[in-house]
Amino acid sequence: MGYDFDFDVIQRSWVYLFRDGMTFSLTLTALASVGGILFGTLLALMRLSSFRSLSMVAAGYVNLMRSLPLVLVIFWFFFLVPYIGGWLTGSSQPTKVGAFSSALITFTMFEAAFYCEIMRAGIQSVSKGQTAAGCALGLDYRQTMTYIVLPQAVRNMLPVLLTQTIILFQDTSLVYVISSTDFLGAAVKVANRDGRLVEMYTFAALVYFVICFTASMYVRRLQARISIIR
Amino acid sequence: MIEFKNVNKWYGDFQVLKDCSAMVQKGEVVVVCGPSGSGKSTLIKCANGLESFQSGDILVNQTSLKDPSTNLTRLRSQIGMVFQNFELFPHLTVTQNLTLGQEKVLKRSTEEATQVALTLLDRVGLKEHANKVPGQLSGGQQQRVAIARALCMDPIAMLFDEPTSALDPEMVKEVLDVMVSLAQQGTTMICVTHEMGFARKVADRVIFMDEGKILEVAAPDAFFDSPQHPRAKDFLSKILSH
């Protein structure tokens, strides 16, 4: 039909695509999900706290983040973070923040709002009696959370946490707006350089599909394996 | 040992405990009974600070629970508590359930805590289940593990909140047997229970509660054979008529 496919372009570029692009995507996903889950758990504990001011601050933060488009937040933080850095270090000049660091901070902060809601549901899925049993043994709040509530909450929510992480992996492709080169960004660069748009987009789609589909299959199998015997 | 002094508690407008006063001596076994919703569980949960109360005071070994300088966390570690629904930690093995408090609160070494855990599991007859998780045990076995878990902390007193109410009938005995042997060894116990056979056998006194009030305190035989308060008569006729 008049289009001359040339999949040889993949052969020529795959080392660059994976070594530069995919490494960026996976590193960003890994660090942002770990950071997001930790910060999200903290937010969840704040939201469930009996101190009204703490829970209101956390709720405000979560609702703000969940109401904004991710692209907007990526831009916003890209321009905002250097000023906050300057303000934190007490310097009058904005701090220099690299695109990767900026993306990492953005994704951590943004995803934390979503992880917070997952962890909140997870914590609430652990019965009040478990907390009471921890207290009755003489464990303090921190110990009860660390050894009794959070391990069960994470286990109950692990499939959802991982699914959210798969979504995060897909969302990292939005870093093109701050000129970072993730896997998709690298594919687009090659596509433009060699004039092979259809091939590269097809290839990128295939790679994303294989990774995400495999991961979600794995999540499904994990779900069956880790459920707590009751 | 444990003294309730005019304890009052409200949930909003609803008063759950009305001027409750009682004294439990060292080595005494006290059974608390009464209709559901009468405040029995709330009363014993107040004794280790799991529930707060608005007025009155509870003294545990002369330590006031109302005193703001009292370390409630520390006090709780000294009072064993057994719950109606066992509340074992489902993600930990039986042994880990027993060692967690010892290691984190009493700061025992893992070896020492495990040793204590195995000794107590043996005492409740469950040593061979040490490496299982609670979900693999029957209700009666889980409740015996829960009793062992509380005993691991070397408590000065044990609180039982309807320990056999969630059990299948054929498992009640194995739990009561453990409780009877504890009572015979001189453990200070407060038990919320409707097991009248248990009360007759080991209780020193029975406390009858209704609508948040302690209406009658008597020796078990006197209470079951000739209850004084009309509400107690009514209650006993209902639970003993089958």
Side-chain angles (χ1 to χ4, degrees), chain B:
Chain B
M1 170 67 85
I2 299 178
E3 188 178 4
F4 299 87
K5 282 175 154 177
N6 308 96
V7 176
N8 283 290
K9 178 180 173 65
W10 286 265
Y11 285 125
D13 288 338
F14 180 70
Q15 190 167 8
V16 266
L17 295 177
K18 297 173 187 162
D19 231 8
C20 292
S21 295
M23 174 85 184
V24 180
Q25 303 288 352
K26 189 171 180 344
E28 227 183 356
V29 177
V30 172
V31 162
V32 185
C33 65
S36 78
S38 58
K40 316 172 294 268
S41 295
T42 311
L43 182 73
I44 69 162
K45 281 181 182 161
C46 284
N48 69 346
L50 280 184
E51 293 275 358
S52 59
F53 48 93
Q54 280 84 11
S55 79
D57 199 358
I58 298 176
L59 300 177
V60 176
N61 266 354
Q62 268 77 55
T63 310
S64 157
L65 263 64
K66 264 282 170 239
D67 185 347
S69 68
T70 299
N71 184 343
L72 273 182
T73 306
R74 209 182 112 71
L75 184 126
R76 284 191 197 111
S77 73
Q78 300 171 331
I79 299 182
M81 174 108 196
V82 175
F83 298 86
Q84 184 173 356
N85 294 315
F86 330 132
E87 300 302 349
L88 294 177
F89 308 130
H91 60 301
L92 301 177
T93 65
V94 167
T95 310
Q96 287 168 336
N97 264 277
L98 269 65
T99 53
L100 181 67
Q102 297 186 65
E103 288 179 34
K104 304 301 172 196
V105 179
L106 303 180
K107 308 290 176 204
R108 286 179 183 156
S109 69
T110 309
E111 297 78 55
E112 194 191 353
T114 309
Q115 204 56 52
V116 174
L118 291 176
T119 310
L120 282 161
L121 279 179
D122 196 24
R123 202 164 134 192
V124 297
L126 293 170
K127 201 172 182 178
E128 65 275 25
H129 300 291
N131 296 318
K132 291 186 179 170
V133 292
Q136 295 171 300
L137 303 180
S138 73
Q141 291 171 329
Q142 291 195 44
Q143 193 62 299
R144 280 144 68 198
V145 172
I147 295 174
R149 178 176 69 182
L151 291 173
C152 279
M153 306 298 286
D154 300 328
I156 55 171
M158 291 281 288
L159 307 174
F160 291 85
D161 184 12
E162 305 208 29
T164 56
S165 302
L167 294 176
D168 289 335
E170 77 269 23
M171 291 167 185
V172 170
K173 185 178 179 298
E174 63 186 66
V175 172
L176 289 180
D177 284 348
V178 172
M179 290 170 65
V180 167
S181 84
L182 281 181
Q184 286 166 347
Q185 283 156 17
T187 314
T188 310
M189 294 163 63
I190 307 182
C191 314
V192 173
T193 181
H194 294 142
E195 297 296 336
M196 298 307 152
F198 170 79
R200 272 193 196 262
K201 196 167 176 182
V202 295
D204 295 295
R205 277 181 301 145
V206 175
I207 291 177
F208 175 76
M209 289 183 74
D210 192 20
E211 294 180 344
K213 271 195 257 198
I214 294 180
L215 295 181
E216 191 163 338
V217 179
D221 287 340
F223 177 74
F224 292 118
D225 297 336
S226 52
Q228 300 302 306
H229 201 281
R231 307 296 292 260
K233 281 179 194 163
D234 185 44
F235 173 72
L236 286 174
S237 74
K238 278 178 186 149
I239 63 163
L240 294 178
S241 62
H242 290 288

